[in-house]
Amino acid sequence: MELGSRSRKARANLPPGAVVARGEGRCRPLPLASFILLLLSSCGATEAPIAHRLVDSFQPDMVEGSPTKVKAATLPIVWNFSEPLPQPSPKKATANLGWKPGVGVSGLRIREGRLQGRSTTDFPIIYARRSERLDDRDLLAEVEVRLRVNKGANLSLQFAGPEDVDFGDVLAGAKGLSQPWGLTTPIVAGESFQTYTLRPRGSVSLSGIHHVLFRPTDAQGAEFEIESIRLLSQRERLARIPSGVGWQGLGEIFRETVVARSPETIRLPLTLPNDPWLDLHLGTPEDGAVTFRVGLSSAAGDEIVLLERTLTTAHRWETAHVDLAAYGGREVTLWFALPDAEDGTLGFWGSPVVRARGGPPMRAGESSGALARAPAPQGVILMVADTLRKDHLDSYGYKRPTAPTLSRLAAEGALFHDVVSQATWTKVSVPSIMTSLYPASHGVAEVTDRLPAAANTLAEVYRAAGYATVSYSSVAFTGKLTNLHQGFEELHELGSTQLERRTKTARVYADRLCAWLEEHRDAPFFVFFHVFDPHDPYEPRRPYQSMWADPGKKEDHERDADKLRKVIPDPFMRRRAMGTRRQFEKADIDTEEYLSYDRDWYDGSIRAMDVELARVLERLKTLGLAEKTMIAFIADHGEEFLDHGRMFHGQTLYGELTNVPLVLFGPGVVPNGVVIDETVRSIDLMPTLLEISGRPLPEGLQGQSLMPLMTAARELRNADLTESTLASLAGDLGWQRLPAVSERAATEQSGGPRPREDEAVSIVLDGWKLIHNTKSSSGKPEFELFEHTKDPLDLKNVADENPDVVEKLLGELQAWRDLTQAGKLPPADSTEGLSDDELRRLRSLGYIQ
C-alpha cells in the first residue's frame, strides 16, 4: 500500500512500531486496512513517539536461541473410525462413545476405516459424546474434517452441553437461518476426499464441549464417507506455529501477544521517549513454572535486568509493568527472555507497549462546531448499554429514577432526545457505532458475519494515535465473532466474567475497568465498555431485584412463565418465556401483570448498571481523570414488551427498538446542560468523538460530527429555542440534516423467531418516519408512515392519508441505497491492496481467516 509523500517523510526517522502524537489539523489520511499499518499523515504537525508496540515492530530475526525441539502438547480429540461403532445400550444409550445417527441419516456404519451414511433430509446430523478429558481451561482452536460427499454445498458443526440432545429443538432453532451453525465451510462435492478446517469465530471453551454434532452436507440424498474428525486445542495449535505475533486468550481475556518459547530471547532496539514505562502482561498455557525476564542493553554495552517474574498458574494473565523513566530519551535495546524452563515451553508477552507518560500536549483541532480550542480529553470511554429503551430512563422523562448517575451526566453535558439506531440487534448495530457505516456498507448482517479487515474502526484510529485501547465485551457479537477486537490491545469476552447470571456484567467489568484506569492514568486511552444488564433474563442482582418488583410475587411470575413456555413453539423464545400477544392469550395468563413484573425487573437491572457507572466516575475522580475524560453513553437498540405484539428485539423497526439514548459528557469540550431535539444517528458518534479528541477523520464515514449541534444548542440555551432555529444555526457551523435510516435485513439471529423472509428499512426525516416492508410474512402493509415526533413508538400508520410524504421519503431511501452501495466494504477476508507482511500480521491477529 503506497504511503502519501508527507506521511513517508514524517515517519522516516521514527523507529518501527512507533506511534506518534498528532498536533492540530483536520486532514484525512488514507483509509487504513488495519491498525498495524499505522499510517498517519503529518499535516505539518510536530510528531514525537508516545507508544512503541512490540507486536507492530516484531520481525522473526529479532528472535535468538530458538529451541531445537518443541515441547509436546496436549493431544487432540480424534475420531479415525478404525473401530466399529458401539452398539446402543438398552439401559443407557447416552453412555455410548461412538458416532450415532441423530436425524436425517440412514445406513450409518463403519467400513474399511470410514464412517459411511446417506442423508435423507437436507439437514442430516450425526453426533458423538466426547470421551477424552481435555484441559478444561483451554480453548478450541480448530476442527479438521477429512470427508468425501457426492452432493451439497456446505458442512457444519455444532457443540452441545452434557444434557441429552433434543434434535427437535436443534432443527427448530436452525430453521430459517442461512448459516444455522457457527462452524460452517463450503465443501467440494465429488468422488475425492477433501480436508476441511473450521475455526470458531468466537471463544469455545473445551469444558463446554460434551456433544459434537456434525452435519456432513446440506443436500438430501447425498452419500458421505468420513475418514477422520479431530478437535484441536489452542495449546496444540500453538505447538505447531513459530514464535511471533498472535491474538492470544487466557481465561477469555485476549491480548495482542508475542508468543515465545524457552529459551528464546527477543531483542527490540528503539529510542525511548521521555518518562517511559513498559505496559506488559505475562501469561502461559503451561502447568509448570515459567520464568519471564525483561532487560535492557544500553549503547555502552551494559546489560540490566529490569524484571524477573516466575508464573506457576496457567491460563491467567499477570500484570508486569516496568518503569523505564531512568532511561528516557536513550537509544537502547529491550530484551524479553524465557531463560530457565524446559525447551519449547510457551510464554506469552501480552500487549507489550512502551508508553510515554502523558505524551506531548494534545489540543482539539479546528472544530466544525466552533467550540473553544480546549485541550482534547486524555481519555474516552464509550459505554454501550445493550437492550436499553430510552423511555425507561428518568433523564428522558420516565417516572422511576432508574439511572440517576446518567441523569447527572446529562444535566452536566449534552442530552440527545432523538437518536436513531441503524439496526435493532447487537450483531449489526454495534459495528455501525464503531465504524460510522450503515449495515448495508459494513456488511455485517448474519450471526457468523465478520466486519471486514478493510473497515476502519473507532478503536483503530485511537490505537494508531498511541492511545491504550481496551474492550469489555458482554456478548460474542461485540468481540472476536464480529471482528470487533480490531484495534484493541486487550479484549475481555463474556466468558471471562464467570458469572452465574451471565447477562449482568456491569459490576465485574466496572471492577476491571477501575483497575485498568489506575494502570493507565498517565496515558491517553480509549475504552469500549459494553454492559449487558438490561438484557434478558431481566431479574437483576440483589438488592435491585426487589427495588420495584415484589419478591412475594416471584413464584407466581415464574409459574406464569412455565405456562407461557408450553404454548411457544420456538425454542429460542420458549427458553426466555417471551411470547406473542396471541400466545399470552392462549396460555390464559394475565398479560399486563406478567409484563409489569418483567418491566419491574428490567428497571432494576438498569439501576444496577447505573450504580456501576457511578463507581467508574468515582474512580476517575480519585485518579484525577474526571476533568480529562470524555464519556459517551449510548444503547445499541431497545426492547419490545408487546408494543407491537411481540417481545425481545431484532424483529421490527418500530420506535421501541430504534429510538436509543445518547448522552455526551466532557468537561471543557461538551457544553454544559444542553438538550438537543434534532434527529441524529448512532453512526454520528464516531466522528463526534474523533473531532473532540482532535483526531483526523478517516475517509468514507457516513455519519457526521454532532459538534455543530452542541455549539448551536449552547448559544441558544437561554433563547426561545425551536428545532428550526437550532438546525439553522448548526447548519451555519457545518451541520446537515440527513436522513436517519435503520435496517432489518432478511437474516436472522441464532434460533430467533423472526422469519427470514421479513425484510424492512425505515427512514426518519423532517418529523416523519417511513417503514418500507420490502418482504413480510406477517401481512404488514408495504408502507407504514408515522408522525415521528408525535408518535415515537409508531402506533398509528398514516401512510394512506399522506401519499406525497411516502413518495418523497421513498426517493430519499433510493439516494441512501446509492450512498451505501458506493461505500460498501470488500468481503471480510479480502486481501486486496495488502502486502505480504500486512497480510501475515492481519492473519496472525485473527482479522483475516
Side-chain angles (χ1 to χ4, degrees):
M1 181 177 291
E2 183 68 10
L3 288 172
S5 59
R6 285 194 296 174
S7 296
R8 287 197 301 270
K9 182 177 180 180
R11 297 179 58 83
N13 297 319
L14 294 177
V19 179
V20 297
R22 297 181 45 78
E24 298 165 359
R26 290 281 302 159
C27 69
R28 291 174 178 259
L30 294 171
L32 301 177
S34 91
F35 63 77
I36 64 161
L37 305 184
L38 301 175
L39 310 182
L40 295 175
S41 57
S42 69
C43 299
T46 300
E47 301 180 336
I50 62 169
H52 192 121
R53 295 184 176 89
L54 178 57
V55 297
D56 293 339
S57 56
F58 177 86
Q59 297 294 331
D61 59 9
M62 294 179 176
V63 181
E64 301 173 356
S66 295
T68 56
K69 62 178 182 179
V70 176
K71 186 176 180 181
T74 305
L75 294 177
I77 302 177
V78 178
W79 289 275
N80 60 15
F81 308 113
S82 59
E83 299 294 334
L85 280 171
Q87 295 301 309
S89 163
K91 292 185 178 180
K92 194 174 183 182
T94 57
N96 296 319
L97 304 180
W99 285 81
K100 297 173 285 188
V103 64
V105 174
S106 65
L108 192 66
R109 62 176 181 171
I110 288 181
R111 183 179 180 184
E112 297 177 354
R114 298 169 181 173
L115 183 63
Q116 301 176 340
R118 180 180 178 85
S119 62
T120 59
T121 69
D122 62 359
F123 212 112
I125 302 174
I126 62 175
Y127 73 108
R129 186 180 180 91
R130 192 186 95 183
S131 58
E132 294 85 348
R133 189 183 187 282
L134 292 186
D135 184 348
D136 286 344
R137 295 168 299 177
D138 209 345
L139 301 176
L140 176 70
E142 61 188 36
V143 180
E144 184 181 279
V145 178
R146 180 76 175 163
L147 168 75
R148 180 193 72 80
V149 61
N150 67 348
K151 290 175 61 177
N154 298 280
L155 67 81
S156 52
L157 282 100
Q158 182 72 294
F159 305 116
E163 298 82 9
D164 291 348
V165 179
D166 185 329
F167 289 101
D169 273 5
V170 170
L171 292 177
K175 185 179 180 181
L177 304 180
S178 65
Q179 293 180 323
W181 286 356
L183 276 73
T184 300
T185 191
I187 57 177
V188 179
E191 298 303 317
S192 300
F193 277 85
Q194 306 287 337
T195 300
Y196 303 97
T197 301
L198 301 92
R199 296 183 178 89
R201 301 287 189 176
S203 303
V204 177
S205 174
L206 293 175
S207 63
I209 300 177
H210 293 266
H211 288 91
V212 181
L213 282 63
F214 181 46
R215 182 188 183 189
T217 180
D218 52 9
Q220 183 176 358
E223 296 178 354
F224 60 86
E225 290 185 284
I226 306 169
E227 285 188 350
S228 63
I229 299 175
R230 53 189 287 133
L231 277 59
L232 194 70
S233 70
Q234 290 279 26
R235 184 174 172 184
E236 193 195 357
R237 181 188 62 81
L238 288 168
R240 297 179 173 186
I241 65 173
S243 301
V245 174
W247 182 254
Q248 304 300 336
L250 298 173
E252 291 198 85
I253 298 175
F254 295 81
R255 300 181 189 277
E256 296 175 345
T257 302
V258 175
V259 178
R261 291 179 173 79
S262 178
E264 290 176 338
T265 297
I266 301 169
R267 296 188 178 273
L268 173 66
L270 76 161
T271 300
L272 291 172
N274 294 325
D275 202 7
W277 61 288
L278 175 63
D279 190 357
L280 179 66
H281 298 79
L282 309 175
T284 179
E286 308 282 6
D287 289 322
V290 182
T291 299
F292 295 76
R293 193 173 293 160
V294 178
L296 179 148
S297 301
S298 69
D302 299 327
E303 292 283 329
I304 304 163
V305 175
L306 302 169
L307 171 76
E308 184 165 292
R309 180 78 58 85
T310 297
L311 305 188
T312 58
T313 301
H315 299 281
R316 185 182 71 182
W317 293 105
E318 289 195 14
T319 301
H321 296 332
V322 180
D323 187 6
L324 300 172
Y327 311 98
R330 299 187 190 180
E331 291 185 7
V332 301
T333 296
L334 287 181
W335 48 265
F336 306 80
L338 298 171
D340 301 326
E342 176 187 349
D343 275 13
T345 297
L346 285 165
F348 293 169
W349 303 97
S351 307
V353 186
V354 175
R355 304 190 191 278
R357 287 186 177 88
M362 294 179 293
R363 295 182 64 83
E366 293 290 345
S367 169
S368 63
L371 287 177
R373 293 165 61 86
Q378 176 184 335
V380 176
I381 298 176
L382 170 55
M383 184 172 183
V384 178
D386 206 294
T387 321
L388 177 61
R389 291 176 64 131
K390 76 169 190 177
D391 58 4
H392 277 247
L393 296 173
D394 43 325
S395 52
Y396 286 89
Y398 193 49
K399 60 184 178 181
R400 289 172 171 170
T402 52
T405 304
L406 185 63
S407 293
R408 178 172 64 82
L409 290 184
E412 298 176 3
L415 175 70
F416 292 81
H417 263 171
D418 189 18
V419 185
V420 177
S421 175
Q422 274 52 79
T424 60
W425 62 300
T426 306
K427 176 74 182 187
V428 183
S429 62
V430 172
S432 287
I433 294 172
M434 294 298 287
T435 64
S436 189
L437 295 175
Y438 278 104
S441 291
H442 65 59
V444 176
E446 290 276 9
V447 169
T448 52
D449 285 342
R450 287 162 55 87
L451 186 69
N456 206 356
T457 70
L458 182 59
E460 287 180 281
V461 178
Y462 279 118
R463 185 193 186 279
Y467 286 54
T469 57
V470 63
S471 171
Y472 298 92
S473 168
S474 295
V475 65
F477 291 159
T478 57
K480 298 191 312 302
L481 179 66
T482 311
N483 220 10
L484 283 175
H485 62 310
Q486 192 166 311
F488 289 106
E489 298 168 338
E490 178 181 340
L491 165 69
H492 295 241
E493 294 255 67
L494 173 63
S496 69
T497 60
Q498 299 178 341
L499 294 175
E500 187 173 333
R501 291 191 179 99
R502 292 170 65 88
T503 60
K504 310 307 170 187
T505 59
R507 181 183 295 179
V508 171
Y509 279 164
D511 285 344
R512 296 185 189 183
L513 175 56
C514 287
W516 189 91
L517 288 169
E518 188 160 359
E519 293 176 2
H520 296 85
R521 63 192 301 176
D522 296 322
F525 58 85
F526 171 67
V527 176
F528 178 74
F529 189 54
H530 174 250
V531 296
F532 219 51
D533 293 53
H535 200 283
D536 81 289
Y538 302 125
E539 183 180 6
R541 295 174 177 272
R542 292 181 296 176
Y544 308 101
Q545 92 287 2
S546 58
M547 179 167 263
W548 288 294
D550 182 353
K553 296 182 179 180
K554 179 180 177 180
E555 288 188 8
D556 292 339
H557 183 70
E558 291 177 339
R559 195 159 35 244
D560 284 344
D562 288 339
K563 292 174 64 177
L564 184 59
R565 288 188 181 98
K566 293 177 182 178
V567 301
I568 301 175
D570 184 271
F572 181 86
M573 300 301 280
R574 184 167 65 242
R575 286 192 300 270
R576 288 162 170 76
M578 289 185 168
T580 63
R581 188 172 297 279
R582 183 173 299 178
Q583 289 163 353
F584 271 95
E585 294 170 356
K586 187 175 181 181
D588 193 25
I589 62 178
D590 188 321
T591 301
E592 185 48 44
E593 184 176 332
Y594 185 92
L595 292 178
S596 178
Y597 205 84
D598 266 359
R599 284 191 290 258
D600 291 344
W601 271 348
Y602 180 77
D603 290 346
S605 289
I606 297 171
R607 183 61 176 264
M609 172 200 71
D610 186 78
V611 169
E612 303 307 327
L613 171 59
R615 290 180 56 219
V616 172
L617 297 175
E618 180 183 73
R619 184 59 59 90
L620 288 171
K621 184 176 181 180
T622 301
L623 296 173
L625 295 172
E627 301 297 311
K628 303 176 183 178
T629 302
M630 170 80 188
I631 307 285
F633 180 96
I634 195 171
D636 55 353
H637 56 78
E639 183 80 327
E640 184 179 354
F641 292 102
L642 293 189
D643 302 76
H644 286 85
R646 290 184 175 183
M647 299 183 71
F648 202 59
H649 48 265
Q651 62 268 37
T652 74
L653 295 177
Y654 295 122
E656 61 270 19
L657 300 180
T658 59
N659 300 334
V660 295
L662 174 61
V663 172
L664 299 181
F665 172 80
V669 292
V670 174
N672 181 282
V674 299
V675 177
I676 296 168
D677 293 325
E678 184 80 2
T679 300
V680 302
R681 306 160 299 176
S682 296
I683 58 173
D684 295 331
L685 186 54
M686 177 177 175
T688 305
L689 295 180
L690 292 180
E691 182 169 350
I692 287 173
S693 298
R695 298 294 106 203
L697 304 184
E699 295 287 353
L701 302 189
Q702 292 167 349
Q704 61 179 327
S705 174
L706 301 172
M707 294 281 275
L709 283 174
M710 289 189 286
T711 302
R714 182 189 63 179
E715 297 301 320
L716 296 172
R717 181 187 297 145
N718 299 318
D720 185 13
L721 178 62
T722 67
E723 186 177 346
S724 60
T725 305
L726 174 64
S728 176
L729 180 55
D732 294 338
L733 299 172
W735 172 259
Q736 300 179 66
R737 179 170 284 177
L738 299 174
V741 177
S742 303
E743 300 176 51
R744 196 271 183 244
T747 52
E748 292 312 318
Q749 303 179 45
S750 179
R754 295 148 304 276
R756 282 191 49 80
E757 58 268 25
D758 277 6
E759 181 179 78
V761 61
S762 68
I763 181 170
V764 176
L765 185 64
D766 296 334
W768 296 95
K769 177 175 180 177
L770 175 71
I771 299 179
H772 185 192
N773 295 303
T774 52
K775 297 179 183 178
S776 177
S777 63
S778 54
K780 291 180 182 177
E782 183 177 2
F783 301 112
E784 297 176 89
L785 183 68
F786 306 96
E787 295 182 84
H788 179 63
T789 305
K790 299 178 181 178
D791 184 14
L793 294 184
D794 306 332
L795 299 177
K796 183 180 179 183
N797 180 10
V798 294
D800 291 343
E801 298 95 312
N802 298 276
D804 55 331
V805 177
V806 172
E807 184 176 359
K808 176 186 174 183
L809 293 179
L810 279 177
E812 295 286 351
L813 275 177
Q814 185 55 53
W816 167 83
R817 290 188 174 95
D818 294 340
L819 168 75
T820 55
Q821 186 60 36
K824 190 171 181 61
L825 296 178
D829 288 341
S830 172
T831 60
E832 179 182 353
L834 297 177
S835 69
D836 290 344
D837 184 61
E838 292 162 357
L839 182 58
R840 174 179 62 82
R841 288 178 178 273
L842 287 170
R843 281 182 170 152
S844 70
L845 293 168
Y847 297 164
I848 292 179
Q849 295 293 332

